[in-house]
Amino acid sequence: MSQLRPALFAVALTLAIATPAQAATAAVPTIKIENGRTQPVFSYADAIREHVYVESTVDSDLDGKLDKVRVDIIRPKESGPGLRVPVVIDESPYYDNSGRGNESERKIYDAAGNVAKFPLFYDNYFVPRGYAVLNVDMLGTTRSEGCPDIGGKADVLGGKAVIDWLNGRAKAVRADGSPAVADWTTGKSAMIGKSYDGTLANAVAATGVEGLKTIVPISAISSWYKYQRSNGVIYNYDYASWLANYVDTDPEPKCKPVRDKMDAEDGDDTGNYNPFWAERDYIEGLLGDVSKVKASVFVIHTVNDLNVKPDNFSTWWKALADRHVPRKIWVGQTQHVDPFDFEGRRTLWVDTLHRWFDHWLHGVRNGITNEPRADVEIGPKQWITQRDWPAPFALRASLRPAADGSLGLRPAARNSTATFTDVRMSEEDMVADVGTAKPGRVAFTTGALPLNLRLSGTPTADLRVKLDKPTSNLTALLVDFGETERVDWRRGQGITTLTEEDCHGESTAADDACYRKVVTNVATRPLEIVARGWIDVQNRDSLSRAEPLPAGTYGKVKWLTLPQDYTFKKGHRIGLVIAGTDSTYGNEAGTGANVTVDLARSSVSVPFVLGTPLADVPKDTSRFRGPERLDLPEPEPEFQFY
């Protein structure tokens, strides 16, 4: 024993002398914040890449076992019980089919079955800044179990299970069956994604799941009924089963019973809202609703998105506002496009998203919630900020059609009417040659505008019609007649991809952070269809109950068009076209009904901002502390049409 003491003393002395220097060289990186932003102090190349299977609460493929959700993870090497990090989640059904982003990136796996290449820039950018990034395969897709049910129970509860696992409320296993515990996370999570991915974010947020702190839905669905219906008018038949089959990675027979059930329940025979669609409604649905949302919401959508039509964001946005949910919004003018591909705004988008996540997930006080709530594109690559969307300082004007084909502020003479037949027509035919009578439409135009008028919000069509058959489909189009340069959202979704790249984040040989730049497509055209709206007259009073209009009897048919943000320029004319079945966006046949419009009791109400668009931004919007939404009355606007 006595012989050991000198040796032990020497070892202790050596350790005492060496420890300070060794500790200094082996310091573990921690979260670093400068200028209101987390800094890239963690190695992307050395990050942990792993995958787990989270047990959900559903058995969507009816095999007697709860479905497991495949979760691919990349996180800082230093993360663990001693350094817990928040999580950014992109859950998607598209990781092995259409891919993600403008360049259609797919997951690429290494020999161990872990993802070596994560699609998009989120991992490259956020992992070095102290985040974990999770790419989650939606149930029934890629390497997850189960069957997709297109917005229903499996879609919603699969994603919710991942949030529950991150917060210790659900189980997960590794590929070898050993338990997987998320002891490396704070449990604070964000969900982000475009289209279906963003839809899953909306859906999971509507469950009120604890731990989901913010969502960033991009071009996302809030109601699958609105995605496939408009007031009883059907866009596509049996769409849910078609999409389920497209995203499913299993042999086709496996999930056929699930698809057949969708076809039986979707109500394509009527177009009505029913329990099938209520399950897939995240504003006031069966699985969750906006009243349960605890996460903040950063909405990005475009007013010309005729895939996920913009009423999906406008109704969601209003419902969030009514409940004072913390929120932010970007409104663009291209088609189904990610803000990463808004020309000239890529760096701003990455920085804004960074600050948003830092605030809600790391608790950084960077002032982002005190800034103007809305960024709005009011013309090709022309953006403004304002305190909310739609423009809270807009005034509503009722534009009224007259028998002579004019459109103005005064009601038409009593007993004046216009007639057309509900036939299937394209939008192009509906708006062509508006001064010429056509049997399938009636058209009305203002004189030349004496000033710029910006439409911001959702027009309302309010018609009084008489039919000679039980029902008719109605289309209302608000049109800008006047040649000018506009965003060409029809060509390439409104963007052209270049060969030059820029980079956002760190790269490895397998996964670079560089993406091709884009430019906005523009075109000079003589007209633009600004707002669109459709309704089946049977659904004029209820979406869930069809009621024919007695033949020969006038009835009131009032509905919202799709929202817009658009500037009618001085000298242009505003047109209103009323027609039957729109073949451009619907698959229904015309009913053949003769439609008589009582012009004296018909109008379209439009929210206008007067003057030049750039003058519409209130001064010092960053200090605005007024109400969440300014609901203005509808006074008669102080302008005239000539």
Side-chain angles (χ1 to χ4, degrees):
M1 188 66 143
S2 60
Q3 294 176 346
L4 292 175
R5 285 176 181 171
L8 290 173
F9 178 78
V11 170
L13 183 61
T14 300
L15 289 174
I17 295 172
T19 296
Q22 291 172 350
T25 58
V28 176
T30 58
I31 306 300
K32 182 179 180 182
I33 300 170
E34 289 181 357
N35 300 318
R37 297 162 177 80
T38 51
Q39 299 299 304
V41 297
F42 300 96
S43 168
Y44 178 73
D46 295 337
I48 295 171
R49 294 163 173 83
E50 58 186 344
H51 65 277
V52 303
Y53 299 89
V54 174
E55 185 178 86
S56 74
T57 57
V58 293
D59 175 16
S60 62
D61 55 9
L62 306 177
D63 65 354
K65 299 180 295 184
L66 295 176
D67 302 332
K68 290 186 176 64
V69 186
R70 163 80 177 222
V71 181
D72 289 297
I73 303 166
I74 180 169
R75 56 187 176 90
K77 179 181 66 176
E78 296 81 3
S79 61
L83 179 64
R84 296 176 182 263
V85 297
V87 175
V88 175
I89 300 169
D90 187 347
E91 181 184 9
S92 179
Y94 294 132
Y95 282 128
D96 68 345
N97 39 70
S98 60
R100 304 314 300 132
N102 188 39
E103 298 177 35
S104 301
E105 291 187 318
R106 299 184 181 187
K107 290 180 178 180
I108 298 177
Y109 303 87
D110 63 19
N114 295 315
V115 173
K117 177 179 177 60
F118 287 78
L120 307 177
F121 76 97
Y122 305 138
D123 56 311
N124 308 84
Y125 189 86
F126 286 106
V127 170
R129 290 166 169 80
Y131 292 83
V133 173
L134 276 55
N135 280 186
V136 177
D137 298 340
M138 190 186 84
L139 281 180
T141 70
T142 313
R143 300 192 177 190
S144 283
E145 298 174 348
C147 293
D149 63 358
I150 310 305
K153 188 175 181 181
D155 282 17
V156 178
L157 298 184
K160 179 180 180 294
V162 177
I163 306 292
D164 285 334
W165 173 65
L166 293 170
N167 287 275
R169 300 187 298 267
K171 297 184 295 184
V173 296
R174 302 188 183 279
D176 61 5
S178 61
V181 179
D183 59 358
W184 43 264
T185 179
T186 62
K188 294 181 178 180
S189 303
M191 293 185 73
I192 186 173
K194 177 192 166 192
S195 198
Y196 209 139
D197 304 18
T199 302
L200 295 169
N202 283 343
V204 175
T207 69
V209 62
E210 295 286 349
L212 183 60
K213 299 300 182 182
T214 191
I215 62 171
V216 185
I218 301 166
S219 303
I221 296 166
S222 60
S223 161
W224 285 83
Y225 183 88
K226 289 185 181 300
Y227 182 55
Q228 284 302 305
R229 304 280 193 273
S230 175
N231 304 299
V233 175
I234 299 172
Y235 299 144
N236 299 287
Y237 290 97
D238 293 333
Y239 179 84
S241 63
W242 175 87
L243 183 57
N245 197 36
Y246 174 77
V247 301
D248 195 356
T249 53
D250 297 304
E252 188 161 324
K254 176 185 174 182
C255 293
K256 188 176 186 302
V258 176
R259 296 194 299 274
D260 289 346
K261 187 171 184 288
M262 290 185 202
D263 287 343
E265 295 178 350
D266 62 12
D268 277 357
D269 56 327
T270 66
N272 289 348
Y273 184 93
N274 63 17
F276 177 87
W277 300 107
E279 183 178 328
R280 293 158 174 81
D281 185 340
Y282 312 131
I283 297 178
E284 47 185 0
L286 296 177
L287 295 177
D289 61 70
V290 71
S291 69
K292 296 184 176 69
V293 173
K294 299 173 183 175
S296 63
V297 183
F298 188 176
V299 172
I300 300 91
H301 217 107
T302 58
V303 288
N304 293 312
D305 190 341
L306 274 303
N307 176 353
V308 180
K309 296 177 179 63
D311 54 344
N312 271 280
F313 93 81
S314 61
T315 51
W316 178 241
W317 179 255
K318 184 180 185 305
L320 294 169
D322 289 345
R323 289 157 181 81
H324 307 291
V325 174
R327 64 202 184 280
K328 187 172 180 63
I329 192 169
W330 279 21
V331 180
Q333 286 200 356
T334 51
Q335 241 254 47
H336 198 57
V337 172
D338 193 288
F340 191 74
D341 298 312
F342 291 168
E343 183 184 353
R345 291 177 70 85
R346 180 172 290 182
T347 298
L348 176 62
W349 164 245
V350 173
D351 184 62
T352 303
L353 185 63
H354 181 190
R355 294 170 61 229
W356 185 260
F357 282 163
D358 277 357
H359 177 79
W360 291 106
L361 299 180
H362 275 296
V364 179
R365 296 183 178 180
N366 53 25
I368 194 165
T369 57
N370 297 324
E371 296 171 358
R373 184 174 286 136
D375 281 37
V376 185
E377 188 177 17
I378 56 170
K381 299 171 287 184
Q382 185 182 15
W383 289 79
I384 62 171
T385 59
Q386 58 190 40
R387 66 179 185 242
D388 209 336
W389 190 91
F393 33 89
L395 303 173
R396 279 198 170 266
S398 289
L399 306 183
R400 303 176 186 276
D404 62 357
S406 64
L407 185 67
L409 298 176
R410 295 179 180 177
R414 288 185 62 184
N415 300 320
S416 59
T417 62
T419 60
F420 64 92
T421 303
D422 176 17
V423 295
R424 185 172 164 82
M425 292 180 68
S426 70
E427 284 190 345
E428 183 178 358
D429 286 340
M430 289 179 184
V431 301
D433 303 319
V434 292
T436 303
K438 287 190 175 184
R441 66 103 202 269
V442 290
F444 312 89
T445 60
T446 68
L449 298 179
L451 74 173
N452 286 356
L453 288 176
R454 175 183 162 211
L455 185 167
S456 182
T458 305
T460 302
D462 187 353
L463 307 180
R464 189 169 184 259
V465 301
K466 178 175 64 175
L467 313 177
D468 65 354
K469 292 187 177 182
T471 194
S472 169
N473 293 325
L474 296 180
T475 297
L477 304 178
L478 201 63
V479 188
D480 176 24
F481 290 104
E483 189 154 317
T484 191
E485 184 180 76
R486 303 174 174 92
V487 174
D488 188 4
W489 52 268
R490 297 169 183 81
R491 179 166 59 92
Q493 305 286 326
I495 59 173
T496 294
T497 305
L498 307 177
T499 56
E500 182 184 359
E501 293 186 327
D502 58 11
C503 306
H504 298 272
E506 298 182 14
S507 301
T508 63
D511 191 339
D512 69 67
C514 303
Y515 293 87
R516 295 167 68 184
K517 295 181 179 180
V518 302
V519 293
T520 301
N521 295 335
V522 295
T524 299
R525 295 190 297 266
L527 63 88
E528 178 80 355
I529 299 173
V530 176
R532 301 162 168 83
W534 308 276
I535 192 170
D536 182 340
V537 172
Q538 293 183 107
N539 293 103
R540 65 195 180 280
D541 296 323
S542 171
L543 295 182
S544 58
R545 185 185 70 256
E547 183 179 344
L549 180 63
T553 303
Y554 276 106
K556 184 181 181 68
V557 185
K558 184 176 181 179
W559 78 101
L560 300 177
T561 72
L562 298 181
Q564 253 290 355
D565 208 293
Y566 181 90
T567 299
F568 296 90
K569 293 185 177 179
K570 179 180 178 180
H572 286 203
R573 295 177 299 139
I574 298 175
L576 171 64
V577 175
I578 305 170
T581 302
D582 185 342
S583 66
T584 304
Y585 297 105
N587 281 333
E588 294 193 12
T591 66
N594 291 313
V595 182
T596 301
V597 182
D598 180 352
L599 298 178
R601 298 190 180 184
S602 296
S603 66
V604 58
S605 173
V606 185
F608 281 127
V609 179
L610 305 183
T612 57
L614 292 177
D616 294 335
V617 187
K619 302 298 182 184
D620 198 17
T621 54
S622 63
R623 297 185 183 181
F624 176 73
R625 291 293 185 274
E628 291 285 329
R629 176 180 170 83
L630 185 60
D631 292 316
L632 295 174
E634 300 185 10
E636 193 72 15
E638 296 178 359
F639 60 86
Q640 297 180 355
F641 295 114
Y642 299 99

